[in-house]
C-alpha cells in the first residue's frame, strides 16, 4: 500500500480513490474516508450516493477509517467497497453491472469536484 500512496503523492494527485470488493457475509456498498478529512468525507458521500441511487445497492455506510491508502496519501482520498463478492446478489451486480459501478464512482467524483468550485 505504501508504494501506491508514494506514487500518488509523487504525481501530485488531487484525488485518490481506491476501489475494492468487500467480503465477509454482508451486502451492499460502503465508502470510507480518513479521520478528520472534511473533503474526504464529502468525496466518500458523493460516491456512495451515486452507487446506491443508480445501482440500488444497500447503503451500508460512509465512515472514517485509518486504512493505509487513506492515511498515506496527501490527496483527498476515499476507499470504495462496491459490493460483497461473497454475497450471491452482490456478486451478480459486480459482474452484470461493472460499467454501472464505474460510472457511479465517476459521477460521484464529478459531483464532488463540482461542489468544490
Amino acid at each position: 500500500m505504501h508504494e501506491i500512496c508514494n506514487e500518488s503523492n509523487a504525481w501530485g494527485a488531487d484525488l485518490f480513490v481506491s476501489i475494492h470488493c468487500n467480503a465477509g457475509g454482508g451486502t451492499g456498498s460502503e465508502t470510507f474516508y480518513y479521520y478528520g478529512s472534511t473533503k474526504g468525507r464529502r468525496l466518500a458521500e458523493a460516491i456512495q450516493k451515486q452507487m446506491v441511487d443508480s445501482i440500488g445497492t444497500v447503503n451500508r455506510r460512509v465512515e472514517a477509517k485509518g486504512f493505509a491508502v487513506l492515511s498515506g496519501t496527501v490527496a483527498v482520498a476515499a476507499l470504495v467497497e462496491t459490493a460483497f463478492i461473497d454475497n450471491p446478489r452482490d456478486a451478480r451486480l459486480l459482474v452484470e453491472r461493472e460499467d454501472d459501478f464505474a460510472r457511479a464512482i465517476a459521477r460521484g467524483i464529478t459531483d464532488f469536484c463540482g461542489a468544490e468550485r
Side-chain angles (χ1 to χ4, degrees), residues 18-99:
S18 186
I19 304 169
H20 303 257
C21 294
N22 218 337
T27 185
S29 301
E30 53 192 349
T31 308
F32 301 99
Y33 61 95
Y34 190 66
Y35 299 108
S37 174
T38 302
K39 287 184 178 185
R41 179 183 48 79
R42 287 196 301 259
L43 173 62
E45 289 171 346
I47 292 170
Q48 181 77 3
K49 180 175 181 354
Q50 283 291 342
M51 283 193 301
V52 171
D53 288 354
S54 64
I55 299 167
T57 57
V58 172
N59 186 1
R60 289 180 55 89
R61 64 185 162 179
V62 172
E63 185 177 351
K65 290 283 184 176
F67 298 128
V69 294
L70 300 176
S71 65
T73 182
V74 175
V76 176
L79 185 150
V80 179
E81 294 285 3
T82 53
F84 280 75
I85 199 165
D86 59 352
N87 175 292
R89 179 187 177 277
D90 280 15
R92 190 171 43 258
L93 287 174
L94 289 166
V95 171
E96 294 174 359
R97 303 203 51 200
E98 178 181 24
D99 287 346

